[in-house]
Amino acid sequence: MAVCQTSKPSYPLHSNRSCHRTLSNPLSCPSLKRVFVETENNAIDDDDLWFRIREEAQSDIKQEPILFNYYCSSILSHVSLESALANHLAMKLSHPTLPIDTLSQIFITIVGDDHGIQTAIRDDLRAARERDPSCISNVQCLLHFKGFLACQAHRIAYKLWSQGRSSMALLIQSRVSEVFAVDIHPGARIGRGILIDHATGIVIGETAVVGDNVTILHNVTLGGTGKVSGDRHPKIGDGVLLGAGTKVLGNIRIGEEAKIGAGSVVLKEVPPRSTAVGNPARLIK
């Protein structure tokens, strides 16, 4: 029988618990159900999404028992989605001079105290499941989709930036750029329900604003023209689709639910619910 020890963590929402396994029943974990209600004060109660993630992890272990230790460390040993995400991001972004435990403590402190970030994490997971045909489960998105992970790391960096902790925020930006090939300035404001698909080559500038339920494909740039300073980056409305290779340059607005075709270079504002394609981009019916 495998046992996932479930003593409460020494600090909010995080767990250093270990999982042990025997060959007789690699999925038996008597305390798993109890973990769902053992959330700390800052966690979201009755978290159905976190429940589903844990069930998906157990299902994956049944299919690939060799992944037991990986899933136990990444998912099943944690009391909350926040704890699992903080630990996983810390593992991805750590460096010999920046240990996992140090990053994990920073991340969980930020995420555990911010209900807005907690809600955005869940909205981003749902966005991937609803809008990305290749997303087969929530647990796969949480563990393996670098667009999702980069976006959550940015949410932490933005909070640090807003608190005046610019050095730590820029460090996280740099590590995300190195690890995920996604470069989002910590000053950029990003909404909820964001899908960053494939993610490689994403660049978002300091004064950019991205609304809710936006879909961004790979190699998209929300940048400046190089001719002005100050507020110099695009403002993306709710529900916008930015096709692969799109470049939106300057302090211009892309209206709600607009679509920008792949490879387009947008230099002028795009009205809501319209489609723009080409270089330079032009409106089509």
Side-chain angles (χ1 to χ4, degrees):
M1 178 180 295
V3 178
C4 292
Q5 300 171 8
T6 57
S7 57
K8 286 195 175 183
S10 58
Y11 50 92
L13 301 176
H14 184 60
S15 174
N16 288 322
R17 294 166 296 174
S18 60
C19 294
H20 303 285
R21 172 188 175 189
T22 63
L23 296 177
S24 60
N25 188 356
L27 294 178
S28 177
C29 196
S31 54
L32 285 183
K33 295 299 181 183
R34 192 175 72 251
V35 168
F36 298 124
V37 297
E38 286 187 350
T39 54
E40 300 290 335
N41 292 333
N42 289 325
I44 295 178
D45 294 332
D46 301 323
D47 194 346
D48 290 339
L49 182 55
W50 176 234
F51 186 92
R52 289 198 300 273
I53 288 170
R54 292 172 64 88
E55 286 190 325
E56 290 168 358
Q58 294 179 72
S59 177
D60 286 354
I61 293 171
K62 288 181 180 179
Q63 186 177 32
E64 295 287 351
I66 198 171
L67 296 178
F68 177 86
N69 288 336
Y70 173 67
Y71 275 105
C72 197
S73 175
S74 301
I75 302 295
L76 299 178
S77 64
H78 295 273
V79 297
S80 69
L81 175 55
E82 288 73 22
S83 170
L85 177 62
N87 181 75
H88 194 60
L89 279 176
M91 182 186 69
K92 293 284 189 180
L93 302 179
S94 62
H95 184 272
T97 59
L98 198 63
I100 293 176
D101 288 347
T102 300
L103 281 180
S104 183
Q105 180 68 68
I106 294 170
F107 293 168
I108 198 59
T109 299
I110 295 294
V111 175
D113 289 338
D114 193 312
H115 189 271
I117 294 179
Q118 295 173 18
T119 302
I121 291 168
R122 288 158 176 78
D123 288 346
D124 291 348
L125 279 170
R126 294 186 185 99
R129 289 290 288 129
E130 293 170 2
R131 307 207 301 268
D132 184 353
S134 69
C135 185
I136 61 175
S137 69
N138 295 291
V139 74
Q140 295 298 326
C141 180
L142 174 62
L143 295 179
H144 305 141
F145 280 33
K146 69 178 187 176
F148 170 80
L149 294 171
C151 188
Q152 308 324 308
H154 168 75
R155 297 191 188 283
I156 295 170
Y158 175 77
K159 184 63 177 287
L160 291 167
W161 183 265
S162 302
Q163 294 174 343
R165 301 174 64 183
S166 57
S167 296
M168 182 58 68
L170 290 169
L171 174 59
I172 293 173
Q173 175 199 3
S174 176
R175 290 298 297 148
V176 169
S177 179
E178 293 168 359
V179 173
F180 298 133
V182 175
D183 193 349
I184 308 176
H185 191 282
R189 289 185 287 157
I190 295 182
R192 293 157 37 180
I194 304 298
L195 171 60
I196 304 180
D197 191 14
H198 294 288
T200 300
I202 299 291
V203 177
I204 300 179
E206 176 183 7
T207 61
V209 177
V210 178
D212 297 334
N213 304 312
V214 172
T215 298
I216 305 174
L217 276 69
H218 58 281
N219 204 31
V220 166
T221 297
L222 304 181
T225 62
K227 299 178 181 179
V228 296
S229 59
D231 192 356
R232 59 197 182 279
H233 295 112
K235 311 297 180 281
I236 310 299
D238 296 345
V240 169
L241 168 64
L242 301 173
T246 293
K247 315 298 179 188
V248 186
L249 305 178
N251 186 11
I252 59 175
R253 179 167 182 80
I254 308 299
E256 289 75 10
E257 300 181 23
K259 294 179 175 61
I260 311 299
S264 299
V265 178
V266 185
L267 303 174
K268 297 181 179 179
E269 295 199 2
V270 176
R273 291 170 290 282
S274 59
T275 301
V277 298
N279 180 8
R282 65 189 187 280
L283 299 179
I284 62 173
K285 291 183 179 180

